[in-house]
Amino acid sequence: MIGRVLTVWRIIRKQRLYELAPVHRQTKLGRLVFQSKGAASDQSRGQRLRVALETLGPIFIKFGQLLSTRRDLLPDDIADELAQLQDNVPPFPSKDAISCVEAALGGPLNEHFATFEHAPLAAASVAQVHAATLPSGEAVVVKVLRPEIEGLIRKDLKLIQALAWAIDRFFKDGRRLKPREVAADYERTILNELDLRREAGNASQLRRNFSGSNLVYVPEIHWPLTAEKVMVSERIYGLPVTDVEALKQQGVDMKVLAERGVEIFFTQVFRDSFFHADMHPGNIFVDAKDPLNPSYLAIDCAIVGQLDEDDLYYLARNLLAIFQQDYRLVAKLHVECGWVAPDTSIAEFESAMRTLCEPVFERPLADISFGHMLISLFRTAGQFEMSVQPQLVLLQKTLLNIEGLGRQLYPDLNLWDTAKPFLERWLADRYAPQTVLRRLQQDAPFWLETLPRLPDLIIKNLQDLPPDPPKKITLNGRTMAFTLLGLGFIAVGSGSPEEPLAFIAGAVFIVLAAFSPKQR
């Protein structure tokens, strides 16, 4: 790991990256450690940063990909250079790709493909893609992992883990930021990218989720030709989403295109709880056959995010409360879901949120950046020891990607107006009485299966109690009756789905049982 640290230090010095820091942030110690005394480079600052990230490898390249979408945070010259990291990473030799394909699939190329183009279509941080055709004549793409990529990634992960430990141990906000949990979560994510069967599974799931949709199309996977280091999928044809001039020449409605990108994101998160979490522009193309009704083509599904029911609920209500400028509700929700300490003053948190958000809402909505908002939120959160939620890191990263891409396509994109109606509909649909009843019916088989084992479960739990518990709680006759009635009605309702009243009655009796007095 020390060797890797020295490598990072040498590249920072060689590419004179310390000069990118604002002058008021530079210190004598920083200049002494990081500033090179060699001749000035003839490359621009953006080129030097891009070359440094490329040299450092896949984890740093992915960081550059994320930065490239944030033109509201970066100067144009740097953003333009970093945009080349999206699909223009230097390729590895074709002979290595062919050897990998033949080893993974068993046998020479001509046994599996009618044609195979040696020059790659695109090269990314972890893999590169070659065009090919199957014996049937179908056009496909073959994705191949970079040789020895796992060893390099594991070295960088050790460095990240060491940095996370140091932040947790020595920095004031270390515990609140949960750097070790975030590093562990990122480690799982990046290592999953090294098994292309996982990416193929993710792509198949996303394809099913949007089957028949006119919003986004995901290429079909050819499973017989897919292995750990090789993946074969349908070849798609579209315009790169970053080629704004070509899209405009085709007459694409850029406003519709940008708004549909936001709709796809919120649909994946809240409807499916399964979202493409690496949506940088290199992974997105546009089908412009119908320019007034454009759709997206999504590739590279290696990184996906998932949220549980509680996270989705609190996330939706928090966002909606911010949109509605209901800062007291935001404060209550943060305490309720455990994102801040339970003894946090609601009034103080509400005041801090109002101070942060009101100046933002005084500006035209089209000028509001979620990126700047998130940065400000994190700064404010530090005052209340808000913990970083590792499960939301991928979501935040994806939201930054989506906003950056949307504003690049349509600078007047109003993310707030696009998102608010969606969240309102989702909350209304998710917790409407008929939806709750339908979910109860879906869960009924579990209760029916558990009911016959209930006496054994009760006896086992009683046997697990301490020999002399400090307090005994005895269910009275009313509680037992309410419980049995509730389970009985739920059982009846599962046998007659057209009679939802049985589920309602069952739920009422279970609630009465929960709140009936206990004998101590």
Side-chain angles (χ1 to χ4, degrees):
M1 187 179 68
I2 294 177
R4 185 59 173 162
V5 171
L6 291 174
T7 298
V8 173
W9 172 73
R10 282 197 297 269
I11 291 172
I12 291 175
R13 283 177 58 88
K14 179 180 179 181
Q15 298 299 334
R16 309 176 73 92
L17 297 187
Y18 190 72
E19 296 173 6
L20 271 63
V23 175
H24 68 277
R25 294 283 186 182
Q26 297 181 14
T27 64
K28 291 182 179 179
L29 179 61
R31 285 192 288 270
L32 178 65
V33 173
F34 292 108
Q35 204 163 38
S36 172
K37 297 189 181 302
S41 172
D42 57 356
Q43 291 181 318
S44 69
R45 58 180 183 175
Q47 289 175 320
R48 284 183 279 132
L49 178 58
R50 174 179 57 79
V51 170
L53 295 175
E54 286 177 348
T55 307
L56 287 169
I59 288 183
F60 295 89
I61 289 172
K62 287 188 173 297
F63 178 65
Q65 290 171 347
L66 173 61
L67 284 179
S68 71
T69 66
R70 302 306 296 157
R71 291 180 178 269
D72 56 330
L73 302 177
L74 290 177
D76 286 342
D77 62 317
I78 293 180
D80 289 340
E81 280 294 329
L82 295 185
Q84 296 188 40
L85 296 173
Q86 291 159 9
D87 57 1
N88 195 28
V89 178
F92 59 89
S94 297
K95 61 182 180 63
D96 293 339
I98 293 172
S99 297
C100 182
V101 172
E102 291 180 337
L105 302 184
L109 282 179
N110 57 19
E111 288 187 5
H112 306 288
F113 304 101
T115 64
F116 185 94
E117 294 185 10
H118 288 210
L121 281 176
S125 55
V126 172
Q128 69 185 30
V129 174
H130 293 259
T133 56
L134 299 179
S136 64
E138 181 182 354
V140 296
V141 292
V142 184
K143 185 171 186 177
V144 189
L145 283 185
R146 287 182 174 271
E148 302 178 354
I149 187 67
E150 184 174 353
L152 179 58
I153 284 179
R154 289 191 179 278
K155 287 180 181 178
D156 282 344
L157 287 174
K158 288 182 180 179
L159 177 59
I160 289 174
Q161 290 165 354
L163 291 172
W165 177 87
I167 292 171
D168 186 51
R169 179 71 177 82
F170 299 111
F171 283 74
K172 178 182 177 182
D173 288 339
R175 292 181 181 272
R176 179 181 67 81
L177 295 174
K178 296 185 178 179
R180 285 197 271 190
E181 289 90 335
V182 172
D185 189 64
Y186 184 68
E187 178 179 358
R188 287 190 295 271
T189 299
I190 193 70
L191 290 179
N192 284 345
E193 283 198 70
L194 303 183
D195 186 345
L196 294 181
R197 294 169 299 184
R198 285 182 176 268
E199 177 180 346
N202 295 338
S204 295
Q205 182 64 54
L206 285 169
R207 180 179 170 84
R208 279 194 299 273
N209 290 347
F210 285 91
S211 177
S213 169
N214 63 349
L215 293 176
V216 63
Y217 182 84
V218 180
E220 182 180 5
I221 299 297
H222 290 270
W223 281 101
L225 298 176
T226 294
E228 182 179 358
K229 296 184 177 181
V230 173
M231 183 183 78
V232 177
S233 61
E234 169 190 6
R235 185 172 182 181
I236 51 109
Y237 298 91
L239 295 171
V241 74
T242 52
D243 196 346
V244 176
E245 288 303 316
L247 293 171
K248 290 180 177 178
Q249 288 176 6
Q250 292 285 329
V252 172
D253 189 325
M254 304 301 284
K255 181 175 185 291
V256 170
L257 186 64
E259 290 176 346
R260 284 191 168 182
V262 177
E263 184 179 353
I264 290 168
F265 170 74
F266 282 101
T267 299
Q268 289 182 91
V269 172
F270 289 101
R271 186 194 70 181
D272 304 327
S273 186
F274 190 86
F275 60 95
H276 193 312
D278 197 18
M279 294 186 71
H280 66 77
N283 290 339
I284 306 173
F285 296 83
V286 177
D287 183 348
K289 295 188 187 75
D290 184 354
L292 300 181
N293 190 33
S295 60
Y296 286 90
L297 305 167
I299 62 172
D300 196 350
C301 305
I303 304 177
V304 297
Q306 292 179 274
L307 300 176
D308 62 28
E309 187 73 18
D310 289 341
D311 285 332
L312 285 175
Y313 174 73
Y314 284 115
L315 179 66
R317 291 202 64 194
N318 267 288
L319 288 175
L320 199 55
I322 291 174
F323 293 159
Q324 295 169 341
Q325 295 170 265
D326 188 346
Y327 308 121
R328 176 164 287 270
L329 179 57
V330 173
K332 288 181 177 179
L333 286 169
H334 274 70
V335 173
E336 185 179 329
C337 65
W339 292 351
V340 296
D343 59 350
T344 299
S345 167
I346 297 294
E348 289 184 15
F349 195 94
E350 176 190 3
S351 177
M353 289 299 298
R354 184 180 296 109
T355 302
L356 167 67
C357 294
E358 279 302 309
V360 174
F361 281 107
E362 287 299 315
R363 298 163 56 195
L365 288 177
D367 294 343
I368 296 174
S369 166
F370 254 128
H372 289 301
M373 175 70 83
L374 282 175
I375 292 170
S376 299
L377 279 173
F378 286 137
R379 288 174 180 166
T380 303
Q383 304 171 16
F384 297 90
E385 299 184 355
M386 180 189 291
S387 298
V388 170
Q389 304 299 313
Q391 74 275 19
L392 299 181
V393 169
L394 275 180
L395 183 77
Q396 294 165 356
K397 167 185 173 289
T398 306
L399 182 57
L400 289 173
N401 271 334
I402 291 295
E403 187 194 17
L405 175 60
R407 292 189 186 279
Q408 187 174 348
L409 294 174
Y410 185 70
D412 292 329
L413 172 68
N414 191 327
L415 188 64
W416 304 75
D417 275 359
T418 306
K420 183 179 176 182
F422 189 96
L423 294 173
E424 290 174 335
R425 287 195 304 270
W426 182 82
L427 284 170
D429 292 343
R430 190 72 173 174
Y431 297 100
Q434 60 269 28
T435 306
V436 174
L437 287 174
R438 186 166 58 249
R439 289 162 64 191
L440 282 172
Q441 288 177 320
Q442 292 171 351
D443 292 341
F446 167 78
W447 292 107
L448 289 174
E449 180 184 343
T450 305
L451 193 58
R453 300 188 292 114
L454 194 57
D456 292 336
L457 293 173
I458 293 173
I459 292 172
K460 183 179 184 307
N461 286 333
L462 291 173
Q463 289 173 342
D464 291 340
L465 288 173
D468 186 21
K471 293 182 180 179
K472 290 186 178 181
I473 300 177
T474 305
L475 298 178
N476 59 26
R478 184 187 303 173
T479 302
M480 185 64 72
F482 285 155
T483 302
L484 293 176
L485 281 170
L487 293 174
F489 273 111
I490 289 175
V492 170
S494 67
S496 304
E498 68 278 3
E499 293 293 341
L501 289 177
F503 278 97
I504 296 176
V508 169
F509 279 117
I510 292 295
V511 172
L512 289 173
F515 287 97
S516 61
K518 314 293 189 298
Q519 295 175 359
R520 295 183 179 271

